[in-house]
Amino acid sequence: MKRITLETFIALAHLRHFGKVASQLNTTQSTVSARIAGLERDLGAELFARSSNSVALTPKGRELLTHATEVIASMDRMSRAVGVDPYREGTLRLGVSETLASTILPGFIGAFSAQYPNSSVEIIVNNTGFQRDQLVERGLDLALLMGPVSHALIANVPLLELPMIWAVAPDHPLAALSEVTVEALAAHPILSYATNSRPYIELVESLRLAGIRTPDCFRPMPWGPVLRLRGRGWRFVQRRGFMRTTLSRLGN
């Protein structure tokens, strides 16, 4: 039984769609179908219940999924035991939140390329919510996100904390003050993160606890326009304290 056959089975068990599996494994739907059919023939059992637009594991399929996952993990351990990295070549599909793309991403790519010179990286930059969904659907292998990300299938590994500040344009009325109250901050438009992001939710919750029920928050914009807007008197705000950055991946 070939490794690629088990990997195809595991991918289909999670994605439940032949087209998505084919895209993830860089192959064709007919190849995916042939691998699954061959596996079912070799085992003498139906592993998937097929419908017009999706597939689902049968009881035998669910039982095999546990064993197949263990076999792949065991194969990886054997490879590493003799000094061979099973993932030294290939393509890493990496998701990165917009904030981290301009901060820690360059260093990560440099370190990854040095350790895996024969591998390539496909980078998708988007908000944390989008990247979380892509991880669950196995459209990504790994993600650098503002987290932690809450999902039963995702494992979070804390990496670092980045200090966050409140910032205003030099000629903004608040710039001349030595101390600024929450009420004074909330009296001005706040340029923050996407409304479905963790920093935005925590910012609004912090303001709510301080008695500010309806803060005037703007959606995020690309960094270039943000910096230009600052020069015109607008301000861009990141939440007070720290932003926790996590490495998120799909759990086994």
Side-chain angles (χ1 to χ4, degrees), residues 22-252:
S23 177
Q24 177 177 306
L25 299 180
N26 295 315
T27 187
T28 63
Q29 290 191 46
S30 60
T31 298
V32 172
S33 297
R35 290 173 184 170
I36 298 301
L39 182 61
E40 290 180 322
R41 183 173 58 253
D42 292 343
L43 296 175
E46 185 179 22
L47 304 176
F48 291 96
R50 298 159 174 82
S51 65
S52 59
N53 55 8
S54 67
V55 295
L57 286 170
T58 63
K60 289 290 186 181
R62 287 193 293 271
E63 184 176 349
L64 178 62
L65 179 60
T66 300
H67 296 298
T69 302
E70 292 174 352
V71 168
I72 293 297
S74 178
M75 294 174 70
D76 289 348
R77 288 193 294 269
M78 286 190 295
S79 296
R80 294 191 179 98
V82 296
V84 177
D85 190 334
Y87 302 106
R88 186 161 292 278
E89 295 185 1
T91 300
L92 173 68
R93 299 168 303 165
L94 177 66
V96 187
S97 66
E98 295 165 340
T99 301
L100 301 182
S102 60
T103 52
I104 68 172
L105 179 61
F108 176 88
I109 294 299
F112 180 87
S113 299
Q115 186 169 353
Y116 303 101
N118 296 323
S119 297
S120 60
V121 181
E122 291 180 1
I123 301 173
I124 299 177
V125 179
N126 210 310
N127 62 56
T128 294
F130 174 85
Q131 308 290 21
R132 177 199 59 222
D133 294 341
Q134 286 295 297
L135 276 173
V136 173
E137 295 178 3
R138 294 187 179 266
L140 294 173
D141 302 308
L142 200 66
L144 300 174
L145 305 174
M146 297 161 59
V149 176
S150 299
H151 196 284
L153 294 178
I154 293 179
N156 292 281
V157 180
L159 296 179
L160 73 160
E161 291 185 337
L162 300 177
M164 309 296 286
I165 64 171
W166 292 86
V168 298
D171 58 348
H172 193 279
L174 296 179
L177 301 178
S178 59
E179 294 184 0
V180 180
T181 65
V182 174
E183 291 77 13
L185 284 171
H188 298 269
I190 299 174
L191 187 57
S192 182
Y193 290 89
T195 54
N196 63 343
S197 68
R198 187 184 185 94
Y200 176 87
I201 294 172
E202 291 186 1
L203 170 63
V204 172
E205 177 62 14
S206 296
L207 292 175
R208 186 189 68 81
L209 292 175
I212 310 300
R213 298 290 180 179
T214 56
D216 189 6
C217 293
F218 283 77
R219 291 177 178 269
M221 301 178 68
W223 290 112
V226 166
L227 295 177
R228 288 195 293 273
L229 283 172
R230 282 182 59 199
R232 297 179 184 178
W234 290 72
R235 66 197 182 101
F236 105 84
V237 176
Q238 299 175 331
R239 78 182 165 93
R240 186 188 303 272
F242 289 89
M243 171 185 68
R244 182 172 296 279
T245 300
T246 64
L247 180 70
S248 297
R249 58 179 174 80
L250 207 61
N252 290 332

